[in-house]
Each structure stands twice: as C-alpha cells, then as structure tokens.
C-alpha cells in the first residue's frame, strides 16, 4: 500500500514492538512507511505539546538538530548530554552559544578511551513523558542513507504513584542516570519518577564507565544481559534451543585479544547464550560487519566507511575474527545499500531461523569498552563507555518466541540466515586506501 502514514499512525502500526529503522533517501516509499521513521517524524508536533527535551548522544550538529524540531518547539529548554572530551566540547559550546535555551551537560569519562555512545531522547509533553532509545548521531549524515535502529516508548502519563513496568524499566533507567552523578539531570530523574511506566514491555541493557563489583556487578554491560536473559528467558528445556545460533551485528570492532577465547567466546558469548537452562552446547556465534564491497556499493559510497571506524592497527591483531564474519544484507527491507550504523544482537531457533528467542538493539559495538571485561578473578566488570539499548523478550509480549515469517512477525533489520564472507570478502577498515575500484559515486578512498 503506498498510503503515506502520519507519524502517529506509524507508531500505532508498530505495536507491540515499537521498533523502527530510520527512513532512507532513495528507496521505494513503502519501505519508508512500515516500521520506518525519520527524526522529524519522531519530533513531530502531532505527538502533542512539547514542553522540554533532553538529547543524549555522541556527535551533534546543533543547527541540524533544532531544524528537526517543529518551529514552535525550537525555543523550549533542551539539555544536551555529551562526552566531556576536551576538543569537540569546544565546538559544541560554540554551536550552542546562540541558544540560551540549550544547556550542556558533560558526562564524566573517568576511564581512558571511554566514550559517551548513548543515544537517547527524553521528550516531555503536556500529556506525559516519551523515551526514545536509538543508534543515530544527531548529524544529517546519520539520518539520510544509513540503517539506524530506533525504539519509541508510549507517552507515559503523569501519575501520583510510582508505576513501574514489568521489566523494571523505570528503576534501570534511574540507575543508569544516577551514574552520571550530576545535578544537571535532577529535573529528569524527578520527572521519570513522576510518570507511569507500566505500559513498557522492553528491558534496558546499559553500560556506564566504572569498575562494577559486588551488588553492582550485574547492573551494567554484558553481565546485565546475562542476568536479564537468565531471569526472564524461560525456554522449556528442549534441546533445539541449546544450539540455536546467536547473531551480533555492529558498525565497529574493538581490540578483542589474540584469539576468540580471550574475551569473545569465554566472556561475551557466555552472556549471550544464557538460556536459564544448563545448556552446555556452544551455539554458533555469527557476526555481521560490512565488507569493503558493502561500503563501495552503498548509497553513500566509501564515505559510509567513515562511520565504520574499525582501524588497521586493531584488525591486524585479530585476523582470527574473519571466520565469524558475515556480510551486511537487508534485501527484505530494501536496505542492503543503506550502510548499517545500527547495532543489534539476537538469537534465533536453528530450525531455518523461523523464530526469534530475543532481540537487542543498542548503541554498543563489539568491544570490551562497551560491554565490559571481567577483572580481578571475575569479581569486577570494567566498562569504559556509556551505552544503552533495549531488549525484547517474548515473555513480555505474552509469547514463547517471536515469529519471523508471519503477519505479526518481529521487524528484523537484516536478512536471515546471514551470508558468510567469501574468500574474496574483506572487512571494511577505515584507514586503508581503496583505489582499485570506484564507489557508487565514482570516487576512491584515500584516508591519508
Ligand atoms: O557513537 C557513534 O555513533 C560513533 C562513535 N565514534 C565514531 C568515530 C570515532 C572513532 C574513534 C575515535 C573517535 C571517533 C568515527 C566515525 C563514526 C563514529 C560513530 O558513529
């Protein structure tokens, strides 16, 4: 159907998952209607009378951002939560200086090499509070021809009792915000407490910088994921789930060690495979990361690779990783050429990938900085960065699995099963030159 949906209709039709991809310039309109939304549509005046908002992110183009708000909301108070790294903080101050309604809130980054990756919006309307958790920077390039993931909460009404969700969303969100340890977030802590989150059906999986131990060790990072899957994923004890494949998909990769067993399988996969059964089989782990050819033939061409910052220095230390890698392919969403900036992790049943056991969309790439690394004989989890994502578990939707190929199926971003790298495929590396084949714009890539 090529009827143009309004932003409100798009959200209504996305129930019960409320999970979207960003719209893409250059694909057929109907692929931008179903479970697809733009930043302007997220901020549309149709959702109600905005009184103030907060934008958590990594990269900001303030002019671009303000332009995405309806003109009548551009002067409302706006809190910008960003990483406090010296250099780009200056440019942010300069960008915001003409706007007294914008307040800057630097997030402390006490551990070296940490970044404020979290991408989240607090939108306060006269009718209530909406939370948006997503993967796109607040720059035009991130919203034009990439594949980004977006979860949009209902507008949670104000309440005089602190209504929590069955997924502990409110408490987990407040625990996350507490870690910033700044008075600048007090208004939003108070506001979150005053709203009814009972209609929310997703779990928060977040990361904050620190060495988390004792009672806090399962609060963040991959141990939070392990704990949540253990507590809520009650699959009957049947064998078919034990070897169900696990898929990780991301737009950058950190230094993971000299072999898979250094961190990827021993620590990270152990958390992802948590079934709350004594599953001993080691499920297949399949990783999706764009090839050079994916980037070269993308709508943006090699420029897309600027947002895939996997560097040579890291890649050369872990050539073993290539055996896990699969191509980016999203034909069923017409997004095989919309370079992925989304990050997702999921588990499917191994009967031809017909059913989804759980699905996570997050800002977190495949790195120890984002997910954490166990230290001191597994008594503390060291995390460098701020990250946040939402986890979909069938039980919270009154289902045992999420069907993938029927009418009410979960809107997955890419094609399953994933396609393994062939011998000629190479992972995209941002600081290599690519001169033997021009990209979709006829350009070459020479980062020097
Ligand atoms: O949070 C995000 O989304 C992103 C975070 N870092 C990015 C970088 C980068 C990598 C190393 C050092 C500084 C910057 C480069 C290109 C895109 C991104 C990006 O998209």
């Amino acid at each position: 159907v090529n009827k143009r949906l309004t932003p409100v209709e798009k959200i209504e039709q996305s129930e019960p998952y409320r999970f979207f991809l960003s719209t893409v310039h250059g694909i057929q309109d109907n692929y931008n209607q179903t479970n697809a939304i733009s930043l302007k549509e997220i901020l549309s005046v149709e959702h109600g009378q905005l009184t103030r908002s907060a934008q958590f992110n990594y990269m900001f183009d303030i002019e671009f951002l303000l332009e995405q708000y309806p003109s009548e909301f551009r002067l409302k108070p706006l809190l910008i939560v960003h990483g406090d790294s010296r250099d780009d903080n200056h440019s942010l101050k300069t960008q915001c200086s003409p706007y007294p309604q914008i307040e800057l809130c630097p997030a402390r980054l006490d551990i070296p090499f940490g970044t404020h990756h979290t991408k989240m919006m607090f939108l306060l309307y006269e009718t209530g509070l909406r939370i948006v958790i997503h993967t796109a920077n607040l720059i035009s390039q991130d919203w034009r021809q990439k594949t980004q993931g977006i979860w949009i909460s209902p507008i949670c009404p104000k309440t005089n009792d602190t209504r929590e969700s069955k997924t502990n969303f409110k408490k987990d969100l407040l625990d996350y915000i507490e870690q910033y340890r700044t008075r600048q977030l007090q208004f939003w802590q108070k506001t979150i407490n005053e709203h009814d989150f009972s209609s929310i059906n997703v779990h928060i999986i977040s990361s904050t910088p620190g060495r988390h131990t004792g009672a806090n060790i399962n609060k963040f990072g991959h141990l939070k994921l392990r704990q949540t899957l253990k507590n809520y994923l009650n699959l009957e004890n049947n064998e078919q789930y034990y070897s169900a494949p696990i898929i990780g998909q991301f737009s950058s990769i950190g230094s993971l060690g000299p072999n898979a067993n250094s961190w990827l399988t021993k620590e990270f996969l152990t958390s992802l495979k948590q079934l709350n059964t004594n599953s001993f089989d080691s499920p297949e782990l399949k990783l999706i990361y764009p090839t050079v050819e994916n980037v070269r033939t993308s709508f943006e061409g090699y420029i897309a690779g600027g947002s895939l910052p996997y560097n040579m220095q890291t890649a050369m230390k872990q050539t073993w990783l290539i055996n896990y890698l699969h191509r980016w392919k999203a034909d069923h969403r017409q997004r095989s050429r919309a370079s992925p900036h989304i990050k997702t992790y999921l588990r499917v049943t191994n009967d031809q990938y017909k059913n989804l056991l759980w699905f996570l969309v997050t800002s977190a790439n495949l790195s120890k900085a984002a997910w954490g690394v166990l230290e001191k004989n597994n008594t503390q989890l060291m995390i460098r960065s701020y990250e946040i994502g939402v986890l979909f578990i069938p039980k919270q939707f009154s289902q045992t699995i999420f069907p993938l190929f029927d009418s009410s199926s979960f809107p997955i971003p890419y094609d399953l099963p994933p396609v393994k790298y062939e011998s000629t495929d190479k992972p995209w590396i941002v600081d290599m030159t690519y001169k033997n084949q021009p990209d979709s714009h006829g350009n070459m890539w020479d980062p020097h």
Side-chain angles (χ1 to χ4, degrees), residues 21-74:
L21 298 183
S22 49
T23 53
V24 174
H25 285 251
I27 67 175
Q28 287 164 15
D29 192 56
N30 60 313
Y31 288 92
N32 279 335
Q33 294 298 318
T34 315
N35 297 315
I37 200 160
S38 68
L39 183 52
K40 267 191 178 160
E41 289 174 314
I42 295 169
L43 298 172
S44 164
V45 65
E46 265 210 29
H47 304 298
Q49 202 55 34
L50 188 78
T51 55
R52 62 199 289 170
S53 63
Q55 294 283 354
F56 294 65
N57 218 301
Y58 175 75
M59 286 186 201
F60 299 83
D61 173 341
I62 296 298
E63 297 295 336
F64 164 76
L65 174 59
L66 288 176
E67 203 188 315
Q68 309 314 305
Y69 281 85
S71 53
E72 56 266 54
F73 298 158
R74 280 178 199 150

Side-chain angles (χ1 to χ4, degrees), residues 2 14 39 79 83 131 158 206 208 241 331 355 357 384 394:
N2 49 17
S14 74
L39 183 52
L79 182 68
I131 313 286
K158 204 158 183 177
S206 71
T208 63
Y241 294 138
D331 290 348
N355 300 311
L357 301 184
R384 298 180 190 274

Side-chain angles (χ1 to χ4, degrees), residues 281-314:
D281 286 24
S282 68
E284 276 185 288
L285 174 63
K286 298 171 181 246
L287 303 177
I288 296 174
Y289 176 75
T291 62
V292 175
E293 195 61 7
N294 278 143
V295 175
R296 188 182 72 81
T297 58
S298 70
F299 289 126
E300 296 171 271
Y302 285 129
I303 292 273
S307 299
L308 299 166
Y310 185 30
N311 64 52
M312 188 69 212
Q313 184 197 352
T314 306

